[in-house]
Amino acid sequence: MVRSLSLSILFHLSIFAVTFFTLPFVMKEPIDVPPIISVDLIQISEKTALPFAPKAREILEKIKKEEKQRVVTKQAPPKIVKKEKQDAVPMPDQIKKKKPKETDKQNPVEVKDEIRQSSEFEKKELFDPNKIAALIDKSKEETAKIQQKKSLEITQDQDSTVSLDKGLTITQEDAIKAQIFKCWNIPLGLPYNEDLTVRIRLKLKKDGSILSSEILDHVRMNRPGQGFYKVLAESALRAVRLCDPLKMPATGHNKWKDLQLNFDAKEMLKG
Amino acid sequence: MKKIFLILFISFFTTKSFSLVKIDITRGNLEPLPTAVSNFYIDNPEKLSAKIKKLNLEKNLPNVIKGNLNRSGLFYVLDNKSYIQKPKLSHLKPRFEDWRLIKAQIMVSGKLKIDDKGRLRVEFRLWDVVSGKEIEELALFATPSSWRRIAHIISDKIYQRLTGEEGYFDTRIIYVGESGPKTQRVKKLAIMDQDGANNKFLTLGNELVLTPRFSPNGRMVTYMSYFKNLPRVYLLNIETGIQEVVGDFPGMTFAPRFSPDGKKVIMSFARDGNSDIYTMDIKSRRVEQITSNPAIDTSPSFSPDGRFIVFNSDRSGLQQIYVMRSDGRGVKRISRGKGLYGTPVWSPRGDLIAFTKIHKGKFYIGVMRTNGTGERLLTQNFYQEAPSWSPNGRVLIFYRETAGGKKGQGASANLWAIDITGYNEVKIKTPTDASDPSWSGLLSK
Amino acid sequence: MSLTNMRNFVIVVVLGFLVSACATGGKRSANDWYEGTDTVKFLASGVPDRIFFATNKSSLHTAAKGTLNKQAAYIKKSGLSVVVEGHADERGTREYNLALGERRANAVRDYLMSQGVSGSKVTVISYGKERPVNPESSRLAWSQNRRSVTVKAK
């Protein structure tokens, strides 16, 4: 009795096993999990968050120290003129100087408003290229040192920002891009294989609001046969106006007061 | 003094170049453009007859525009209820802040008037709310009964001004209206405006009619009919209603289309189990054989310049897509993927070929470049086929059938449209079940 | 182990395999063409009016030829004229199906003629997928719709 019972149970179990493995609906298909897309929220920071190699950091610190010293010797006593208007270029010495109060976050390439000096000179209109040329011979020693400083300046720039002539860090640039992306309604009818880049020059106030905006190629807009260009240009202008005021970093207005936005819809239209 | 020069000199050499920051903007959003379409205002309401007053054009004309813009998927028309400014002021002196408040970026205003000759004059203005200026202004004249066409033409103008592309609203669609049980389906030729209005049946349904197509000028239709139980290709003049058989073929002719110049009909002719592609000149009746192959060659479609023909053939053993010159030479296969391909149709822009694909029991509508590369499947379904292009080459209309139960219940056929980007898949409303849609060109051309 | 237990075990196992076989949704017939009799009508006593095809094919299998032999004999004997209709299932594009139906109808006509039927007695017409005999959307219905039907000419 016990034997036949156990045999019966065994056979029943084997039947279950057989049906379990052969009936397809019991074997669930693996669910297709869509790939996880990670979303990064970009914070506007004043320093590009590029990690420095440890050795590079050492070199940097060394350079900064040297800069500090040189600044002290070469510089004429700076007249602290707080001027809103920025035009010609700030003195590199002043740029390199690090204020002891400032924290690490400070971008060493950033301009300090208080240490502007060039404006004074421009007023006097002493800037004469010929005279400068004459100066070259006289101050060879100085040039050598200046060149050295310049090369150092270059390396320092490369470490902390990606390219020489960008006044913004990557993250700052990304932040501006992200804002414009949201405001720009792309006209979908545009051909993607034509050269349709609209360049808009913006002048921004300190609070990020737009002082002026102009299309660099606005003559093209009204030419016959440039209908697509006109449509793109108008959409870019609307984007810029909708995004007004732009969220810009709290300082460094000089760095970003003059923006040129190159609108190119090619990537998105290729679909 | 020297020091001053020195400092200047230093600044000259070591300062950065002019601090203009250049940023590339390569992405934006593909959201529909928020648009407000104000009711139009009537300039001289006293002059309107009772009949015209009943048409309520001040509301209905802009409503047609709204429908068009919304259906395109590229515009999002804001609800009237939120509008602050009245129609007349919106047209004469818009207060852009009012429109910015409801987040409109574009505004459409208009004015209606009946002139001394009894014509309807419609003036519309297109406003860029964000930049605060007018960007388009036009006046159109027509008989009051053609007010819908005016609305469609205005929609096309707005569409073109803001997307850069030609619109497709002033067009019609011809299709087959279906009814009855699946085993004994009644089919009638039907024509309607692209937004579903003005639906008319052109045949009575006494015989099967299939695959109607517009001529380039939209005045003629070619289709296949089983009149007198002889399946043949016919021509129908929409205005006169006169139908005539195309040619005198001793066998079934089917799958007809017009050449881009409207002078010829291209079709398949089946005899002794073999289907080849033929053309016939409508005026001279001259017949030309284009393919000569024991396989099935069908569904021919001309390129817009008339130099090439894309068609469907099973000469490789399975249905595939081929391109050849219009004289039949240079046949090249262009479909590359796995599965069966059918119903190829050349885009009016010349850049793409739309098709139906069948693979593993599923039906797809897709597009590919004219050399077969860049195949993109736009939508998948239990059953769908026969895409037809809008005249601007952006939208495809096709039809779908649903599965039928034991007695065929639940089976239905409907027209659908989709943008070539794959967005904006919409069902087109028809009074009966529908299949075999074909899009006309712009009527105003 | 007693004999009854053995027998019961075998029965259960066999049933189990049967159940699993059916669950995979296998075709009833090994072939893609319809082999049943549900929709078949008769030209005359003992002469089925139709034959069936595999998907996308117009070739004649043995059973089809058998039916057509009977049809040929009947046509020759009666002197009737017939129309051979070619049909396709709904799982293909409309225009191609019209051509496929024509190909099928002609395959039948060619065969009938090879059996001595005069060509003048047989005309063909294709209905593509327009006239299914079974409106259901199922493999069975589709196989019943992939057919060629011989009818008496009017």
Side-chain angles (χ1 to χ4, degrees), chain A residues 184 189-199 220 226-230 232 262-266 269:
Chain A
W184 190 27
L190 298 175
Y192 59 80
N193 48 2
E194 270 182 41
D195 166 38
L196 288 175
T197 309
V198 175
R199 297 170 303 154
R220 186 178 169 190
Q226 290 295 320
F228 287 133
Y229 182 79
K230 188 174 186 175
L232 183 67
N262 301 328
F263 286 82
D264 184 353
K266 213 188 274 195
L269 292 175

mmCIF file of all heavy atoms in Angstrom, chain A residues 184 189-199 220 226-230 232 262-266 269:
data_model
loop_
_atom_site.group_PDB
_atom_site.id
_atom_site.type_symbol
_atom_site.label_atom_id
_atom_site.label_comp_id
_atom_site.label_asym_id
_atom_site.label_seq_id
_atom_site.Cartn_x
_atom_site.Cartn_y
_atom_site.Cartn_z
ATOM 1 N N TRP A 184 13.776 76.364 -27.821
ATOM 2 C CA TRP A 184 13.820 76.356 -29.269
ATOM 3 C C TRP A 184 12.867 75.327 -29.863
ATOM 4 O O TRP A 184 13.076 74.133 -29.781
ATOM 5 C CB TRP A 184 15.252 76.074 -29.754
ATOM 6 C CG TRP A 184 15.407 76.285 -31.220
ATOM 7 C CD1 TRP A 184 14.677 77.123 -32.008
ATOM 8 C CD2 TRP A 184 16.352 75.662 -32.073
ATOM 9 N NE1 TRP A 184 15.112 77.061 -33.304
ATOM 10 C CE2 TRP A 184 16.152 76.176 -33.372
ATOM 11 C CE3 TRP A 184 17.368 74.734 -31.883
ATOM 12 C CZ2 TRP A 184 16.908 75.777 -34.468
ATOM 13 C CZ3 TRP A 184 18.138 74.348 -32.973
ATOM 14 C CH2 TRP A 184 17.898 74.869 -34.260
ATOM 15 N N GLY A 189 10.015 71.229 -40.923
ATOM 16 C CA GLY A 189 9.988 71.084 -42.370
ATOM 17 C C GLY A 189 11.297 71.402 -43.042
ATOM 18 O O GLY A 189 11.395 71.349 -44.261
ATOM 19 N N LEU A 190 12.320 71.723 -42.276
ATOM 20 C CA LEU A 190 13.562 72.173 -42.899
ATOM 21 C C LEU A 190 14.353 71.011 -43.475
ATOM 22 O O LEU A 190 14.380 69.938 -42.897
ATOM 23 C CB LEU A 190 14.427 72.901 -41.871
ATOM 24 C CG LEU A 190 13.791 74.157 -41.289
ATOM 25 C CD1 LEU A 190 14.677 74.704 -40.205
ATOM 26 C CD2 LEU A 190 13.589 75.183 -42.379
ATOM 27 N N PRO A 191 15.012 71.232 -44.599
ATOM 28 C CA PRO A 191 15.878 70.186 -45.149
ATOM 29 C C PRO A 191 17.125 70.063 -44.276
ATOM 30 O O PRO A 191 17.658 71.059 -43.785
ATOM 31 C CB PRO A 191 16.241 70.723 -46.541
ATOM 32 C CG PRO A 191 16.056 72.192 -46.443
ATOM 33 C CD PRO A 191 15.010 72.447 -45.405
ATOM 34 N N TYR A 192 17.570 68.832 -44.075
ATOM 35 C CA TYR A 192 18.716 68.658 -43.187
ATOM 36 C C TYR A 192 20.034 68.647 -43.940
ATOM 37 O O TYR A 192 21.086 68.574 -43.360
ATOM 38 C CB TYR A 192 18.581 67.353 -42.398
ATOM 39 C CG TYR A 192 18.479 66.130 -43.269
ATOM 40 C CD1 TYR A 192 19.608 65.544 -43.836
ATOM 41 C CD2 TYR A 192 17.247 65.564 -43.541
ATOM 42 C CE1 TYR A 192 19.507 64.435 -44.643
ATOM 43 C CE2 TYR A 192 17.148 64.451 -44.333
ATOM 44 C CZ TYR A 192 18.272 63.884 -44.887
ATOM 45 O OH TYR A 192 18.165 62.777 -45.678
ATOM 46 N N ASN A 193 19.932 68.652 -45.271
ATOM 47 C CA ASN A 193 21.173 68.541 -46.020
ATOM 48 C C ASN A 193 21.603 69.863 -46.641
ATOM 49 O O ASN A 193 22.442 69.899 -47.516
ATOM 50 C CB ASN A 193 21.025 67.475 -47.102
ATOM 51 C CG ASN A 193 19.736 67.672 -47.879
ATOM 52 O OD1 ASN A 193 18.998 68.605 -47.635
ATOM 53 N ND2 ASN A 193 19.465 66.777 -48.801
ATOM 54 N N GLU A 194 21.018 70.947 -46.192
ATOM 55 C CA GLU A 194 21.452 72.254 -46.668
ATOM 56 C C GLU A 194 22.191 72.967 -45.564
ATOM 57 O O GLU A 194 21.990 72.677 -44.387
ATOM 58 C CB GLU A 194 20.237 73.091 -47.059
ATOM 59 C CG GLU A 194 19.834 72.926 -48.508
ATOM 60 C CD GLU A 194 18.653 73.814 -48.853
ATOM 61 O OE1 GLU A 194 18.634 74.968 -48.394
ATOM 62 O OE2 GLU A 194 17.760 73.326 -49.551
ATOM 63 N N ASP A 195 23.018 73.921 -45.964
ATOM 64 C CA ASP A 195 23.716 74.677 -44.940
ATOM 65 C C ASP A 195 22.780 75.711 -44.353
ATOM 66 O O ASP A 195 22.533 76.758 -44.940
ATOM 67 C CB ASP A 195 24.942 75.373 -45.557
ATOM 68 C CG ASP A 195 25.490 76.439 -44.626
ATOM 69 O OD1 ASP A 195 25.493 76.202 -43.404
ATOM 70 O OD2 ASP A 195 25.882 77.501 -45.117
ATOM 71 N N LEU A 196 22.225 75.399 -43.217
ATOM 72 C CA LEU A 196 21.292 76.313 -42.585
ATOM 73 C C LEU A 196 21.721 76.540 -41.156
ATOM 74 O O LEU A 196 21.209 75.925 -40.232
ATOM 75 C CB LEU A 196 19.874 75.725 -42.594
ATOM 76 C CG LEU A 196 19.133 75.670 -43.917
ATOM 77 C CD1 LEU A 196 17.819 74.952 -43.701
ATOM 78 C CD2 LEU A 196 18.857 77.046 -44.463
ATOM 79 N N THR A 197 22.733 77.356 -40.974
ATOM 80 C CA THR A 197 23.116 77.705 -39.611
ATOM 81 C C THR A 197 22.785 79.164 -39.397
ATOM 82 O O THR A 197 23.169 80.014 -40.206
ATOM 83 C CB THR A 197 24.626 77.487 -39.394
ATOM 84 O OG1 THR A 197 24.957 76.172 -39.828
ATOM 85 C CG2 THR A 197 24.988 77.634 -37.939
ATOM 86 N N VAL A 198 22.058 79.441 -38.341
ATOM 87 C CA VAL A 198 21.718 80.824 -38.026
ATOM 88 C C VAL A 198 22.574 81.268 -36.859
ATOM 89 O O VAL A 198 22.587 80.624 -35.811
ATOM 90 C CB VAL A 198 20.232 80.944 -37.655
ATOM 91 C CG1 VAL A 198 19.901 82.352 -37.215
ATOM 92 C CG2 VAL A 198 19.374 80.569 -38.849
ATOM 93 N N ARG A 199 23.311 82.347 -37.057
ATOM 94 C CA ARG A 199 24.158 82.835 -35.963
ATOM 95 C C ARG A 199 23.521 84.081 -35.372
ATOM 96 O O ARG A 199 23.229 85.038 -36.070
ATOM 97 C CB ARG A 199 25.551 83.144 -36.501
ATOM 98 C CG ARG A 199 26.239 81.883 -37.039
ATOM 99 C CD ARG A 199 27.504 82.194 -37.778
ATOM 100 N NE ARG A 199 27.278 83.122 -38.873
ATOM 101 C CZ ARG A 199 28.221 83.932 -39.350
ATOM 102 N NH1 ARG A 199 29.425 83.919 -38.824
ATOM 103 N NH2 ARG A 199 27.949 84.752 -40.340
ATOM 104 N N ARG A 220 20.559 87.653 -45.612
ATOM 105 C CA ARG A 220 20.200 86.399 -46.275
ATOM 106 C C ARG A 220 18.713 86.084 -46.098
ATOM 107 O O ARG A 220 18.078 85.485 -46.958
ATOM 108 C CB ARG A 220 21.053 85.276 -45.676
ATOM 109 C CG ARG A 220 20.873 83.943 -46.388
ATOM 110 C CD ARG A 220 21.783 82.897 -45.776
ATOM 111 N NE ARG A 220 21.426 81.574 -46.265
ATOM 112 C CZ ARG A 220 21.914 80.441 -45.766
ATOM 113 N NH1 ARG A 220 22.782 80.488 -44.776
ATOM 114 N NH2 ARG A 220 21.543 79.276 -46.254
ATOM 115 N N GLN A 226 15.513 81.902 -50.069
ATOM 116 C CA GLN A 226 16.075 81.576 -48.769
ATOM 117 C C GLN A 226 14.976 81.433 -47.730
ATOM 118 O O GLN A 226 15.168 81.767 -46.564
ATOM 119 C CB GLN A 226 17.063 82.677 -48.335
ATOM 120 C CG GLN A 226 18.336 82.697 -49.158
ATOM 121 C CD GLN A 226 19.151 81.434 -48.955
ATOM 122 O OE1 GLN A 226 19.260 80.936 -47.843
ATOM 123 N NE2 GLN A 226 19.709 80.907 -50.036
ATOM 124 N N GLY A 227 13.844 80.944 -48.201
ATOM 125 C CA GLY A 227 12.698 80.798 -47.307
ATOM 126 C C GLY A 227 13.014 79.965 -46.084
ATOM 127 O O GLY A 227 12.617 80.290 -44.969
ATOM 128 N N PHE A 228 13.768 78.878 -46.285
ATOM 129 C CA PHE A 228 14.091 77.999 -45.159
ATOM 130 C C PHE A 228 14.948 78.723 -44.134
ATOM 131 O O PHE A 228 14.782 78.560 -42.927
ATOM 132 C CB PHE A 228 14.838 76.752 -45.648
ATOM 133 C CG PHE A 228 13.950 75.783 -46.374
ATOM 134 C CD1 PHE A 228 14.339 75.245 -47.578
ATOM 135 C CD2 PHE A 228 12.723 75.414 -45.842
ATOM 136 C CE1 PHE A 228 13.525 74.344 -48.243
ATOM 137 C CE2 PHE A 228 11.900 74.515 -46.507
ATOM 138 C CZ PHE A 228 12.312 73.981 -47.714
ATOM 139 N N TYR A 229 15.891 79.494 -44.643
ATOM 140 C CA TYR A 229 16.778 80.222 -43.731
ATOM 141 C C TYR A 229 15.968 81.194 -42.881
ATOM 142 O O TYR A 229 16.177 81.324 -41.677
ATOM 143 C CB TYR A 229 17.860 80.955 -44.521
ATOM 144 C CG TYR A 229 18.831 81.671 -43.621
ATOM 145 C CD1 TYR A 229 19.854 80.978 -42.983
ATOM 146 C CD2 TYR A 229 18.712 83.030 -43.368
ATOM 147 C CE1 TYR A 229 20.724 81.617 -42.133
ATOM 148 C CE2 TYR A 229 19.569 83.683 -42.521
ATOM 149 C CZ TYR A 229 20.577 82.971 -41.907
ATOM 150 O OH TYR A 229 21.433 83.603 -41.052
ATOM 151 N N LYS A 230 15.023 81.859 -43.524
ATOM 152 C CA LYS A 230 14.197 82.831 -42.804
ATOM 153 C C LYS A 230 13.408 82.141 -41.698
ATOM 154 O O LYS A 230 13.344 82.627 -40.570
ATOM 155 C CB LYS A 230 13.235 83.484 -43.805
ATOM 156 C CG LYS A 230 12.457 84.649 -43.235
ATOM 157 C CD LYS A 230 11.652 85.302 -44.347
ATOM 158 C CE LYS A 230 10.974 86.564 -43.848
ATOM 159 N NZ LYS A 230 10.287 87.256 -44.932
ATOM 160 N N LEU A 232 14.081 79.354 -40.173
ATOM 161 C CA LEU A 232 14.979 78.930 -39.090
ATOM 162 C C LEU A 232 15.400 80.122 -38.251
ATOM 163 O O LEU A 232 15.417 80.057 -37.018
ATOM 164 C CB LEU A 232 16.206 78.226 -39.683
ATOM 165 C CG LEU A 232 17.164 77.673 -38.639
ATOM 166 C CD1 LEU A 232 16.504 76.537 -37.884
ATOM 167 C CD2 LEU A 232 18.448 77.180 -39.284
ATOM 168 N N ASN A 262 25.100 79.644 -32.325
ATOM 169 C CA ASN A 262 25.017 79.091 -33.675
ATOM 170 C C ASN A 262 23.931 78.030 -33.713
ATOM 171 O O ASN A 262 24.122 76.916 -33.257
ATOM 172 C CB ASN A 262 26.353 78.472 -34.086
ATOM 173 C CG ASN A 262 27.482 79.474 -34.043
ATOM 174 O OD1 ASN A 262 27.276 80.659 -34.292
ATOM 175 N ND2 ASN A 262 28.678 79.022 -33.717
ATOM 176 N N PHE A 263 22.787 78.391 -34.261
ATOM 177 C CA PHE A 263 21.679 77.453 -34.326
ATOM 178 C C PHE A 263 21.819 76.567 -35.557
ATOM 179 O O PHE A 263 21.844 77.046 -36.678
ATOM 180 C CB PHE A 263 20.345 78.208 -34.397
ATOM 181 C CG PHE A 263 19.934 78.828 -33.101
ATOM 182 C CD1 PHE A 263 20.452 80.062 -32.714
ATOM 183 C CD2 PHE A 263 19.031 78.190 -32.262
ATOM 184 C CE1 PHE A 263 20.070 80.634 -31.507
ATOM 185 C CE2 PHE A 263 18.645 78.770 -31.058
ATOM 186 C CZ PHE A 263 19.167 79.984 -30.678
ATOM 187 N N ASP A 264 21.886 75.268 -35.316
ATOM 188 C CA ASP A 264 21.995 74.326 -36.429
ATOM 189 C C ASP A 264 21.073 73.139 -36.154
ATOM 190 O O ASP A 264 21.319 72.377 -35.238
ATOM 191 C CB ASP A 264 23.450 73.865 -36.563
ATOM 192 C CG ASP A 264 23.655 72.958 -37.758
ATOM 193 O OD1 ASP A 264 22.657 72.570 -38.407
ATOM 194 O OD2 ASP A 264 24.808 72.624 -38.059
ATOM 195 N N ALA A 265 20.045 73.005 -36.963
ATOM 196 C CA ALA A 265 19.043 71.971 -36.678
ATOM 197 C C ALA A 265 19.346 70.645 -37.360
ATOM 198 O O ALA A 265 18.560 69.706 -37.279
ATOM 199 C CB ALA A 265 17.668 72.462 -37.118
ATOM 200 N N LYS A 266 20.486 70.556 -38.011
ATOM 201 C CA LYS A 266 20.791 69.384 -38.834
ATOM 202 C C LYS A 266 20.624 68.064 -38.092
ATOM 203 O O LYS A 266 19.981 67.140 -38.558
ATOM 204 C CB LYS A 266 22.242 69.495 -39.344
ATOM 205 C CG LYS A 266 22.412 68.887 -40.732
ATOM 206 C CD LYS A 266 23.860 68.818 -41.125
ATOM 207 C CE LYS A 266 24.292 70.134 -41.752
ATOM 208 N NZ LYS A 266 25.554 70.049 -42.468
ATOM 209 N N LEU A 269 17.007 67.127 -37.451
ATOM 210 C CA LEU A 269 16.153 66.929 -38.605
ATOM 211 C C LEU A 269 16.485 65.641 -39.327
ATOM 212 O O LEU A 269 15.668 65.094 -40.036
ATOM 213 C CB LEU A 269 16.292 68.104 -39.583
ATOM 214 C CG LEU A 269 15.755 69.418 -39.077
ATOM 215 C CD1 LEU A 269 16.057 70.516 -40.066
ATOM 216 C CD2 LEU A 269 14.254 69.328 -38.853
#
